[in-house]
Amino acid sequence: MKMRVLCWLLLGLVILLPGNRVLADDGTTRDRVVIGENFTLKSGETIDGNLVVIGGETALEAGARVSGDLVVIGGSLRMDGAIGGSAIVIG
C-alpha cells in the first residue's frame, strides 16, 4: 500500500513540475503548494492561482475561493467553497 501511494505521489510530481518550469515567472502568480500537511482555506479567503496539496486533507469552507485549479494527491477534499478551474483528487 505504501508503495502504491509513493508511486502516485511521484507520478503527480512528474506531471506537475515540468509544466511550471516552462512558464515565464513574472512574479504575478499566487500558486500555493502544501506538502505533508492538512490545509483549510477559510471563509472569505481567496487564492489567486492554483492550489496543490500533496499528502494532506484539504478543506474549502463556504465563501472561500481558489481562482485556478485545485489538485489533491494522496489526501481528501471537502469543498464547500468555489473554484475557478478544475478540481482533481488522486488517492
PDB file of all heavy atoms in Angstrom, residues 46-83:
ATOM      1  N   THR A  46      -9.150  33.936  -0.334  1.00  0.00           N
ATOM      2  CA  THR A  46      -9.023  33.642  -1.757  1.00  0.00           C
ATOM      3  C   THR A  46      -7.571  33.343  -2.090  1.00  0.00           C
ATOM      4  O   THR A  46      -6.669  34.010  -1.591  1.00  0.00           O
ATOM      5  CB  THR A  46      -9.496  34.839  -2.611  1.00  0.00           C
ATOM      6  OG1 THR A  46     -10.861  35.109  -2.318  1.00  0.00           O
ATOM      7  CG2 THR A  46      -9.348  34.550  -4.096  1.00  0.00           C
ATOM      8  N   ILE A  47      -7.366  32.340  -2.932  1.00  0.00           N
ATOM      9  CA  ILE A  47      -6.059  32.082  -3.526  1.00  0.00           C
ATOM     10  C   ILE A  47      -6.173  32.463  -4.994  1.00  0.00           C
ATOM     11  O   ILE A  47      -6.972  31.885  -5.728  1.00  0.00           O
ATOM     12  CB  ILE A  47      -5.638  30.607  -3.379  1.00  0.00           C
ATOM     13  CG1 ILE A  47      -5.395  30.286  -1.915  1.00  0.00           C
ATOM     14  CG2 ILE A  47      -4.387  30.322  -4.217  1.00  0.00           C
ATOM     15  CD1 ILE A  47      -4.998  28.848  -1.650  1.00  0.00           C
ATOM     16  N   ASP A  48      -5.417  33.471  -5.407  1.00  0.00           N
ATOM     17  CA  ASP A  48      -5.446  33.934  -6.797  1.00  0.00           C
ATOM     18  C   ASP A  48      -4.458  33.123  -7.612  1.00  0.00           C
ATOM     19  O   ASP A  48      -3.399  33.613  -8.002  1.00  0.00           O
ATOM     20  CB  ASP A  48      -5.108  35.424  -6.879  1.00  0.00           C
ATOM     21  CG  ASP A  48      -6.182  36.288  -6.262  1.00  0.00           C
ATOM     22  OD1 ASP A  48      -7.366  35.961  -6.448  1.00  0.00           O
ATOM     23  OD2 ASP A  48      -5.837  37.271  -5.591  1.00  0.00           O
ATOM     24  N   GLY A  49      -4.789  31.882  -7.856  1.00  0.00           N
ATOM     25  CA  GLY A  49      -3.923  30.971  -8.590  1.00  0.00           C
ATOM     26  C   GLY A  49      -4.366  29.546  -8.335  1.00  0.00           C
ATOM     27  O   GLY A  49      -5.504  29.289  -7.962  1.00  0.00           O
ATOM     28  N   ASN A  50      -3.431  28.612  -8.493  1.00  0.00           N
ATOM     29  CA  ASN A  50      -3.707  27.193  -8.305  1.00  0.00           C
ATOM     30  C   ASN A  50      -3.335  26.763  -6.892  1.00  0.00           C
ATOM     31  O   ASN A  50      -2.458  27.352  -6.267  1.00  0.00           O
ATOM     32  CB  ASN A  50      -2.895  26.361  -9.303  1.00  0.00           C
ATOM     33  CG  ASN A  50      -3.215  26.733 -10.731  1.00  0.00           C
ATOM     34  OD1 ASN A  50      -4.370  26.830 -11.121  1.00  0.00           O
ATOM     35  ND2 ASN A  50      -2.190  26.967 -11.520  1.00  0.00           N
ATOM     36  N   LEU A  51      -3.997  25.703  -6.417  1.00  0.00           N
ATOM     37  CA  LEU A  51      -3.687  25.115  -5.121  1.00  0.00           C
ATOM     38  C   LEU A  51      -3.394  23.637  -5.329  1.00  0.00           C
ATOM     39  O   LEU A  51      -4.198  22.925  -5.931  1.00  0.00           O
ATOM     40  CB  LEU A  51      -4.861  25.284  -4.151  1.00  0.00           C
ATOM     41  CG  LEU A  51      -4.758  24.553  -2.814  1.00  0.00           C
ATOM     42  CD1 LEU A  51      -3.547  25.049  -2.010  1.00  0.00           C
ATOM     43  CD2 LEU A  51      -6.041  24.736  -2.008  1.00  0.00           C
ATOM     44  N   VAL A  52      -2.221  23.181  -4.839  1.00  0.00           N
ATOM     45  CA  VAL A  52      -1.836  21.771  -4.905  1.00  0.00           C
ATOM     46  C   VAL A  52      -1.534  21.315  -3.486  1.00  0.00           C
ATOM     47  O   VAL A  52      -0.726  21.933  -2.795  1.00  0.00           O
ATOM     48  CB  VAL A  52      -0.588  21.565  -5.794  1.00  0.00           C
ATOM     49  CG1 VAL A  52      -0.176  20.104  -5.793  1.00  0.00           C
ATOM     50  CG2 VAL A  52      -0.852  22.053  -7.212  1.00  0.00           C
ATOM     51  N   VAL A  53      -2.208  20.246  -3.043  1.00  0.00           N
ATOM     52  CA  VAL A  53      -1.970  19.671  -1.721  1.00  0.00           C
ATOM     53  C   VAL A  53      -1.554  18.216  -1.918  1.00  0.00           C
ATOM     54  O   VAL A  53      -2.284  17.441  -2.528  1.00  0.00           O
ATOM     55  CB  VAL A  53      -3.213  19.770  -0.820  1.00  0.00           C
ATOM     56  CG1 VAL A  53      -2.934  19.147   0.538  1.00  0.00           C
ATOM     57  CG2 VAL A  53      -3.660  21.218  -0.664  1.00  0.00           C
ATOM     58  N   ILE A  54      -0.378  17.858  -1.404  1.00  0.00           N
ATOM     59  CA  ILE A  54       0.153  16.501  -1.543  1.00  0.00           C
ATOM     60  C   ILE A  54       0.266  15.894  -0.150  1.00  0.00           C
ATOM     61  O   ILE A  54       0.971  16.430   0.707  1.00  0.00           O
ATOM     62  CB  ILE A  54       1.531  16.514  -2.237  1.00  0.00           C
ATOM     63  CG1 ILE A  54       1.408  17.139  -3.626  1.00  0.00           C
ATOM     64  CG2 ILE A  54       2.101  15.107  -2.327  1.00  0.00           C
ATOM     65  CD1 ILE A  54       2.730  17.385  -4.320  1.00  0.00           C
ATOM     66  N   GLY A  55      -0.444  14.800   0.078  1.00  0.00           N
ATOM     67  CA  GLY A  55      -0.352  14.088   1.346  1.00  0.00           C
ATOM     68  C   GLY A  55      -1.032  14.776   2.503  1.00  0.00           C
ATOM     69  O   GLY A  55      -0.517  14.749   3.611  1.00  0.00           O
ATOM     70  N   GLY A  56      -2.183  15.373   2.265  1.00  0.00           N
ATOM     71  CA  GLY A  56      -2.911  16.030   3.350  1.00  0.00           C
ATOM     72  C   GLY A  56      -4.384  16.202   3.035  1.00  0.00           C
ATOM     73  O   GLY A  56      -4.800  16.134   1.881  1.00  0.00           O
ATOM     74  N   GLU A  57      -5.167  16.420   4.085  1.00  0.00           N
ATOM     75  CA  GLU A  57      -6.596  16.692   3.942  1.00  0.00           C
ATOM     76  C   GLU A  57      -6.758  18.150   3.503  1.00  0.00           C
ATOM     77  O   GLU A  57      -6.050  19.030   3.981  1.00  0.00           O
ATOM     78  CB  GLU A  57      -7.297  16.495   5.281  1.00  0.00           C
ATOM     79  CG  GLU A  57      -6.959  15.198   5.974  1.00  0.00           C
ATOM     80  CD  GLU A  57      -7.941  14.109   5.644  1.00  0.00           C
ATOM     81  OE1 GLU A  57      -9.112  14.431   5.440  1.00  0.00           O
ATOM     82  OE2 GLU A  57      -7.519  12.953   5.579  1.00  0.00           O
ATOM     83  N   THR A  58      -7.722  18.398   2.615  1.00  0.00           N
ATOM     84  CA  THR A  58      -7.956  19.743   2.099  1.00  0.00           C
ATOM     85  C   THR A  58      -9.409  20.122   2.322  1.00  0.00           C
ATOM     86  O   THR A  58     -10.304  19.336   2.031  1.00  0.00           O
ATOM     87  CB  THR A  58      -7.642  19.817   0.590  1.00  0.00           C
ATOM     88  OG1 THR A  58      -6.313  19.340   0.373  1.00  0.00           O
ATOM     89  CG2 THR A  58      -7.758  21.235   0.075  1.00  0.00           C
ATOM     90  N   ALA A  59      -9.628  21.335   2.832  1.00  0.00           N
ATOM     91  CA  ALA A  59     -10.993  21.813   3.059  1.00  0.00           C
ATOM     92  C   ALA A  59     -11.122  23.240   2.544  1.00  0.00           C
ATOM     93  O   ALA A  59     -10.273  24.084   2.827  1.00  0.00           O
ATOM     94  CB  ALA A  59     -11.337  21.762   4.536  1.00  0.00           C
ATOM     95  N   LEU A  60     -12.173  23.488   1.767  1.00  0.00           N
ATOM     96  CA  LEU A  60     -12.535  24.836   1.344  1.00  0.00           C
ATOM     97  C   LEU A  60     -13.865  25.160   2.011  1.00  0.00           C
ATOM     98  O   LEU A  60     -14.888  24.555   1.702  1.00  0.00           O
ATOM     99  CB  LEU A  60     -12.703  24.921  -0.177  1.00  0.00           C
ATOM    100  CG  LEU A  60     -11.493  25.345  -0.998  1.00  0.00           C
ATOM    101  CD1 LEU A  60     -10.416  24.308  -0.906  1.00  0.00           C
ATOM    102  CD2 LEU A  60     -11.890  25.631  -2.409  1.00  0.00           C
ATOM    103  N   GLU A  61     -13.837  26.098   2.947  1.00  0.00           N
ATOM    104  CA  GLU A  61     -15.053  26.470   3.649  1.00  0.00           C
ATOM    105  C   GLU A  61     -15.959  27.288   2.734  1.00  0.00           C
ATOM    106  O   GLU A  61     -15.502  27.861   1.736  1.00  0.00           O
ATOM    107  CB  GLU A  61     -14.716  27.265   4.907  1.00  0.00           C
ATOM    108  CG  GLU A  61     -13.961  26.460   5.947  1.00  0.00           C
ATOM    109  CD  GLU A  61     -13.650  27.249   7.204  1.00  0.00           C
ATOM    110  OE1 GLU A  61     -13.879  28.479   7.231  1.00  0.00           O
ATOM    111  OE2 GLU A  61     -13.173  26.628   8.173  1.00  0.00           O
ATOM    112  N   ALA A  62     -17.239  27.351   3.074  1.00  0.00           N
ATOM    113  CA  ALA A  62     -18.197  28.159   2.314  1.00  0.00           C
ATOM    114  C   ALA A  62     -17.702  29.603   2.284  1.00  0.00           C
ATOM    115  O   ALA A  62     -17.286  30.152   3.301  1.00  0.00           O
ATOM    116  CB  ALA A  62     -19.578  28.080   2.948  1.00  0.00           C
ATOM    117  N   GLY A  63     -17.700  30.206   1.101  1.00  0.00           N
ATOM    118  CA  GLY A  63     -17.221  31.574   0.943  1.00  0.00           C
ATOM    119  C   GLY A  63     -15.744  31.673   0.605  1.00  0.00           C
ATOM    120  O   GLY A  63     -15.243  32.754   0.330  1.00  0.00           O
ATOM    121  N   ALA A  64     -15.014  30.547   0.618  1.00  0.00           N
ATOM    122  CA  ALA A  64     -13.604  30.527   0.219  1.00  0.00           C
ATOM    123  C   ALA A  64     -13.531  30.303  -1.286  1.00  0.00           C
ATOM    124  O   ALA A  64     -14.432  29.714  -1.884  1.00  0.00           O
ATOM    125  CB  ALA A  64     -12.859  29.420   0.958  1.00  0.00           C
ATOM    126  N   ARG A  65     -12.435  30.778  -1.923  1.00  0.00           N
ATOM    127  CA  ARG A  65     -12.336  30.656  -3.375  1.00  0.00           C
ATOM    128  C   ARG A  65     -10.894  30.431  -3.816  1.00  0.00           C
ATOM    129  O   ARG A  65      -9.978  31.090  -3.345  1.00  0.00           O
ATOM    130  CB  ARG A  65     -12.866  31.915  -4.046  1.00  0.00           C
ATOM    131  CG  ARG A  65     -12.738  31.891  -5.552  1.00  0.00           C
ATOM    132  CD  ARG A  65     -13.521  33.016  -6.215  1.00  0.00           C
ATOM    133  NE  ARG A  65     -13.275  33.090  -7.628  1.00  0.00           N
ATOM    134  CZ  ARG A  65     -13.751  32.251  -8.538  1.00  0.00           C
ATOM    135  NH1 ARG A  65     -14.502  31.246  -8.162  1.00  0.00           N
ATOM    136  NH2 ARG A  65     -13.488  32.401  -9.819  1.00  0.00           N
ATOM    137  N   VAL A  66     -10.724  29.489  -4.747  1.00  0.00           N
ATOM    138  CA  VAL A  66      -9.458  29.277  -5.461  1.00  0.00           C
ATOM    139  C   VAL A  66      -9.738  29.680  -6.902  1.00  0.00           C
ATOM    140  O   VAL A  66     -10.618  29.112  -7.550  1.00  0.00           O
ATOM    141  CB  VAL A  66      -8.989  27.802  -5.387  1.00  0.00           C
ATOM    142  CG1 VAL A  66      -7.751  27.601  -6.238  1.00  0.00           C
ATOM    143  CG2 VAL A  66      -8.731  27.401  -3.946  1.00  0.00           C
ATOM    144  N   SER A  67      -9.018  30.668  -7.418  1.00  0.00           N
ATOM    145  CA  SER A  67      -9.334  31.178  -8.758  1.00  0.00           C
ATOM    146  C   SER A  67      -8.852  30.247  -9.871  1.00  0.00           C
ATOM    147  O   SER A  67      -9.358  30.307 -10.979  1.00  0.00           O
ATOM    148  CB  SER A  67      -8.746  32.575  -8.953  1.00  0.00           C
ATOM    149  OG  SER A  67      -7.342  32.528  -8.918  1.00  0.00           O
ATOM    150  N   GLY A  68      -7.893  29.391  -9.578  1.00  0.00           N
ATOM    151  CA  GLY A  68      -7.363  28.468 -10.587  1.00  0.00           C
ATOM    152  C   GLY A  68      -7.827  27.043 -10.347  1.00  0.00           C
ATOM    153  O   GLY A  68      -8.943  26.804  -9.890  1.00  0.00           O
ATOM    154  N   ASP A  69      -6.923  26.103 -10.619  1.00  0.00           N
ATOM    155  CA  ASP A  69      -7.208  24.684 -10.437  1.00  0.00           C
ATOM    156  C   ASP A  69      -6.871  24.260  -9.008  1.00  0.00           C
ATOM    157  O   ASP A  69      -6.037  24.860  -8.340  1.00  0.00           O
ATOM    158  CB  ASP A  69      -6.384  23.836 -11.406  1.00  0.00           C
ATOM    159  CG  ASP A  69      -6.760  24.098 -12.854  1.00  0.00           C
ATOM    160  OD1 ASP A  69      -7.930  24.443 -13.114  1.00  0.00           O
ATOM    161  OD2 ASP A  69      -5.889  23.956 -13.726  1.00  0.00           O
ATOM    162  N   LEU A  70      -7.503  23.162  -8.577  1.00  0.00           N
ATOM    163  CA  LEU A  70      -7.255  22.576  -7.266  1.00  0.00           C
ATOM    164  C   LEU A  70      -6.894  21.112  -7.463  1.00  0.00           C
ATOM    165  O   LEU A  70      -7.654  20.353  -8.060  1.00  0.00           O
ATOM    166  CB  LEU A  70      -8.499  22.699  -6.385  1.00  0.00           C
ATOM    167  CG  LEU A  70      -8.490  21.971  -5.049  1.00  0.00           C
ATOM    168  CD1 LEU A  70      -7.355  22.486  -4.175  1.00  0.00           C
ATOM    169  CD2 LEU A  70      -9.812  22.159  -4.344  1.00  0.00           C
ATOM    170  N   VAL A  71      -5.695  20.706  -6.997  1.00  0.00           N
ATOM    171  CA  VAL A  71      -5.217  19.327  -7.145  1.00  0.00           C
ATOM    172  C   VAL A  71      -4.866  18.793  -5.765  1.00  0.00           C
ATOM    173  O   VAL A  71      -4.119  19.427  -5.027  1.00  0.00           O
ATOM    174  CB  VAL A  71      -3.969  19.261  -8.062  1.00  0.00           C
ATOM    175  CG1 VAL A  71      -3.469  17.831  -8.166  1.00  0.00           C
ATOM    176  CG2 VAL A  71      -4.279  19.835  -9.434  1.00  0.00           C
ATOM    177  N   VAL A  72      -5.441  17.627  -5.419  1.00  0.00           N
ATOM    178  CA  VAL A  72      -5.133  16.953  -4.158  1.00  0.00           C
ATOM    179  C   VAL A  72      -4.599  15.571  -4.505  1.00  0.00           C
ATOM    180  O   VAL A  72      -5.265  14.798  -5.196  1.00  0.00           O
ATOM    181  CB  VAL A  72      -6.377  16.835  -3.256  1.00  0.00           C
ATOM    182  CG1 VAL A  72      -6.028  16.104  -1.967  1.00  0.00           C
ATOM    183  CG2 VAL A  72      -6.967  18.206  -2.961  1.00  0.00           C
ATOM    184  N   ILE A  73      -3.387  15.261  -4.035  1.00  0.00           N
ATOM    185  CA  ILE A  73      -2.755  13.965  -4.301  1.00  0.00           C
ATOM    186  C   ILE A  73      -2.499  13.288  -2.965  1.00  0.00           C
ATOM    187  O   ILE A  73      -1.831  13.851  -2.096  1.00  0.00           O
ATOM    188  CB  ILE A  73      -1.435  14.141  -5.081  1.00  0.00           C
ATOM    189  CG1 ILE A  73      -1.696  14.839  -6.411  1.00  0.00           C
ATOM    190  CG2 ILE A  73      -0.762  12.798  -5.292  1.00  0.00           C
ATOM    191  CD1 ILE A  73      -0.446  15.241  -7.153  1.00  0.00           C
ATOM    192  N   GLY A  74      -3.038  12.089  -2.793  1.00  0.00           N
ATOM    193  CA  GLY A  74      -2.815  11.338  -1.558  1.00  0.00           C
ATOM    194  C   GLY A  74      -3.527  11.935  -0.364  1.00  0.00           C
ATOM    195  O   GLY A  74      -3.004  11.910   0.738  1.00  0.00           O
ATOM    196  N   GLY A  75      -4.704  12.460  -0.574  1.00  0.00           N
ATOM    197  CA  GLY A  75      -5.479  13.045   0.514  1.00  0.00           C
ATOM    198  C   GLY A  75      -6.948  13.092   0.138  1.00  0.00           C
ATOM    199  O   GLY A  75      -7.387  12.428  -0.795  1.00  0.00           O
ATOM    200  N   SER A  76      -7.703  13.908   0.848  1.00  0.00           N
ATOM    201  CA  SER A  76      -9.132  14.039   0.570  1.00  0.00           C
ATOM    202  C   SER A  76      -9.493  15.510   0.442  1.00  0.00           C
ATOM    203  O   SER A  76      -8.743  16.390   0.852  1.00  0.00           O
ATOM    204  CB  SER A  76      -9.963  13.383   1.680  1.00  0.00           C
ATOM    205  OG  SER A  76      -9.740  14.053   2.903  1.00  0.00           O
ATOM    206  N   LEU A  77     -10.671  15.757  -0.129  1.00  0.00           N
ATOM    207  CA  LEU A  77     -11.135  17.124  -0.367  1.00  0.00           C
ATOM    208  C   LEU A  77     -12.555  17.290   0.159  1.00  0.00           C
ATOM    209  O   LEU A  77     -13.442  16.497  -0.156  1.00  0.00           O
ATOM    210  CB  LEU A  77     -11.105  17.438  -1.865  1.00  0.00           C
ATOM    211  CG  LEU A  77     -11.745  18.748  -2.318  1.00  0.00           C
ATOM    212  CD1 LEU A  77     -11.017  19.946  -1.709  1.00  0.00           C
ATOM    213  CD2 LEU A  77     -11.759  18.841  -3.834  1.00  0.00           C
ATOM    214  N   ARG A  78     -12.755  18.324   0.989  1.00  0.00           N
ATOM    215  CA  ARG A  78     -14.094  18.748   1.390  1.00  0.00           C
ATOM    216  C   ARG A  78     -14.267  20.154   0.822  1.00  0.00           C
ATOM    217  O   ARG A  78     -13.589  21.088   1.241  1.00  0.00           O
ATOM    218  CB  ARG A  78     -14.251  18.766   2.913  1.00  0.00           C
ATOM    219  CG  ARG A  78     -15.670  19.175   3.342  1.00  0.00           C
ATOM    220  CD  ARG A  78     -15.835  19.147   4.853  1.00  0.00           C
ATOM    221  NE  ARG A  78     -14.853  19.942   5.560  1.00  0.00           N
ATOM    222  CZ  ARG A  78     -14.987  21.252   5.806  1.00  0.00           C
ATOM    223  NH1 ARG A  78     -16.030  21.924   5.383  1.00  0.00           N
ATOM    224  NH2 ARG A  78     -14.044  21.882   6.480  1.00  0.00           N
ATOM    225  N   MET A  79     -15.149  20.288  -0.159  1.00  0.00           N
ATOM    226  CA  MET A  79     -15.260  21.556  -0.877  1.00  0.00           C
ATOM    227  C   MET A  79     -16.651  22.162  -0.715  1.00  0.00           C
ATOM    228  O   MET A  79     -17.611  21.718  -1.321  1.00  0.00           O
ATOM    229  CB  MET A  79     -14.946  21.349  -2.361  1.00  0.00           C
ATOM    230  CG  MET A  79     -14.861  22.653  -3.116  1.00  0.00           C
ATOM    231  SD  MET A  79     -14.198  22.474  -4.763  1.00  0.00           S
ATOM    232  CE  MET A  79     -15.545  21.654  -5.578  1.00  0.00           C
ATOM    233  N   ASP A  80     -16.738  23.169   0.131  1.00  0.00           N
ATOM    234  CA  ASP A  80     -17.956  23.951   0.276  1.00  0.00           C
ATOM    235  C   ASP A  80     -17.786  25.318  -0.393  1.00  0.00           C
ATOM    236  O   ASP A  80     -18.748  26.034  -0.572  1.00  0.00           O
ATOM    237  CB  ASP A  80     -18.298  24.147   1.756  1.00  0.00           C
ATOM    238  CG  ASP A  80     -18.594  22.822   2.453  1.00  0.00           C
ATOM    239  OD1 ASP A  80     -19.257  21.974   1.832  1.00  0.00           O
ATOM    240  OD2 ASP A  80     -18.160  22.640   3.595  1.00  0.00           O
ATOM    241  N   GLY A  81     -16.552  25.653  -0.748  1.00  0.00           N
ATOM    242  CA  GLY A  81     -16.238  26.926  -1.394  1.00  0.00           C
ATOM    243  C   GLY A  81     -16.331  26.799  -2.915  1.00  0.00           C
ATOM    244  O   GLY A  81     -16.972  25.886  -3.436  1.00  0.00           O
ATOM    245  N   ALA A  82     -15.655  27.693  -3.621  1.00  0.00           N
ATOM    246  CA  ALA A  82     -15.733  27.754  -5.074  1.00  0.00           C
ATOM    247  C   ALA A  82     -14.336  27.712  -5.682  1.00  0.00           C
ATOM    248  O   ALA A  82     -13.367  28.158  -5.079  1.00  0.00           O
ATOM    249  CB  ALA A  82     -16.431  29.038  -5.512  1.00  0.00           C
ATOM    250  N   ILE A  83     -14.260  27.151  -6.908  1.00  0.00           N
ATOM    251  CA  ILE A  83     -13.018  27.177  -7.651  1.00  0.00           C
ATOM    252  C   ILE A  83     -13.311  27.688  -9.051  1.00  0.00           C
ATOM    253  O   ILE A  83     -14.402  27.491  -9.587  1.00  0.00           O
ATOM    254  CB  ILE A  83     -12.336  25.795  -7.725  1.00  0.00           C
ATOM    255  CG1 ILE A  83     -13.250  24.767  -8.364  1.00  0.00           C
ATOM    256  CG2 ILE A  83     -11.872  25.335  -6.368  1.00  0.00           C
ATOM    257  CD1 ILE A  83     -12.545  23.480  -8.688  1.00  0.00           C
TER     258      ILE A  83
END
